[in-house]
Amino acid sequence: MPAIPSMWKSSNRRLAMSQLTEVTPVGGDLKQYRRRYLLVNCLFVNDSASALFDSIERDHVRPLLKDLGFRKRALTFSRARDGLTDVVSLQRSTGNTAGHVRFYVNCGVYSSEFSTVLGQTVRDRPREGDCQFRCRMETLVPEAPQWFEIEAFQYRLATEDWVRARGIYQSIRAEFGSEDRWPRIDENLKRHVPPAELARVCAVVWNG
């Protein structure tokens, strides 16, 4: 997927706040604009890709694995069977931003008997890193991708949540709208929006 700039990194927020005088309309009230900017960020901070990741894990991954007999601890799921423990863990990428999350699905099988033979401490709830057999999901399921990605803006477009998509767009515009590269960013964002919804999502002023 094309990368979408992060609108939530603290350094970027500080930069955007320092540029408010540049992006405030001529004759506009800077204090009023600042309040609007903060409102947009407060309203949609829980709409970040990280929050979407949490909701996908909670509403989809967790119920699926629970039905298969797995128990959850943090982002690790384990299931005991015949002296072995199956482990599935979700690993977030270290390069994630609030607007974009990449994660991997790690799999493993742990043998307490093997650990005993090796003189290791036997784990009641082993983590993926404790497993003697470890792999990524695509090794077991060749058609699976190497990783999964969540883009907050594209997710809201895909689910036809135009109000939240507009909030994310306006946050990006408030942050990058005064920069020379904004036309390129704007073009990249708009090409993901259905033509019929362009006015609703990307217009500077929307009366709908």
Side-chain angles (χ1 to χ4, degrees), residues 123-137:
R123 308 287 185 185
D124 292 331
R125 296 285 298 274
R127 297 169 299 179
E128 185 263 335
D130 299 318
C131 295
Q132 291 90 4
F133 171 79
R134 302 167 60 193
C135 68
R136 287 266 167 83
M137 188 174 73

Side-chain angles (χ1 to χ4, degrees), residues 30-83:
L30 178 59
K31 290 183 179 180
Q32 182 180 1
Y33 185 86
R34 184 185 294 268
R35 286 195 297 270
R36 288 183 58 202
Y37 179 85
L38 291 174
L39 175 62
V40 168
N41 276 282
C42 290
L43 180 61
F44 291 97
V45 68
N46 290 328
D47 198 41
S48 67
S50 180
L52 293 173
F53 169 86
D54 291 339
S55 68
I56 290 171
E57 182 277 322
R58 180 187 65 246
D59 299 334
H60 300 283
V61 177
R62 193 186 308 176
L64 172 65
L65 292 178
K66 182 179 180 180
D67 289 345
L68 295 174
F70 284 83
R71 296 186 299 166
K72 177 181 182 294
R73 182 172 62 181
L75 292 177
T76 298
F77 303 81
S78 59
R79 174 183 66 184
R81 60 173 179 90
D82 302 326

Side-chain angles (χ1 to χ4, degrees), residues 154-173:
Q154 292 185 29
Y155 180 88
R156 290 306 176 191
L157 293 177
T159 55
E160 299 185 355
D161 190 340
W162 312 121
V163 173
R164 289 185 179 273
R166 174 173 171 76
I168 295 172
Y169 175 84
Q170 294 299 331
S171 293
I172 299 174
R173 183 185 180 90

